Amino acid sequence: MNPELKNNLSSSHYWFRALYVFIFVFASEVAAMLLLFVAVGQIVFTLITGEPNKRLTAFGGSLAAYLFAVFNFVCCKTESKPFPFADWPEADTDDKVTLAKDTQ
């Protein structure tokens, strides 16, 4: 057996990372379902009031940032573990939500 392969297989770092990946993939599935509820809530709220709910927009943005952090960790782009090992990401407040108005 290749010594490097044997070293990698016996390293606890890789096995713990694999465990974290499975945990964060499960967490991303839960977060994606929650994002679906936020989207449906925004649709209903926008139909009733004519504009999106600012709190749902902020929460949806932070949830999307969390999913981005999870995907970066799972794909080995970063070694930084997302929430709960880091702070919950904040939504980008510079983005403005505008709806297309019917001009007819």
Side-chain angles (χ1 to χ4, degrees):
M1 182 185 286
N2 184 346
E4 185 177 341
L5 176 62
K6 184 177 180 180
N7 187 31
N8 288 343
L9 288 174
S10 63
S11 173
S12 63
H13 169 75
Y14 294 110
W15 291 108
F16 276 115
R17 191 174 204 304
L19 177 65
Y20 285 128
V21 164
F22 284 115
I23 291 170
F24 282 119
V25 165
F26 176 75
S28 72
E29 291 296 323
V30 172
M33 186 61 69
L34 188 56
L35 191 59
L36 176 65
F37 289 130
V38 169
V40 169
Q42 279 290 41
I43 290 168
V44 170
F45 193 86
T46 303
L47 286 174
I48 293 171
T49 66
E51 60 184 45
N53 182 292
K54 291 181 178 160
R55 289 185 179 177
L56 277 178
T57 300
F59 179 66
S62 67
L63 195 56
Y66 174 70
L67 284 168
F68 185 69
V70 167
F71 296 152
N72 281 336
F73 177 76
V74 167
C75 294
C76 297
K77 185 175 180 187
T78 182
E79 287 294 318
S80 301
K81 294 180 206 70
F83 180 82
F85 298 97
D87 291 337
W88 182 261
E90 299 213 12
D92 186 11
T93 57
D94 293 337
D95 291 341
K96 295 191 178 196
V97 177
T98 56
L99 296 175
K101 299 285 182 181
D102 196 5
T103 57
Q104 295 178 359

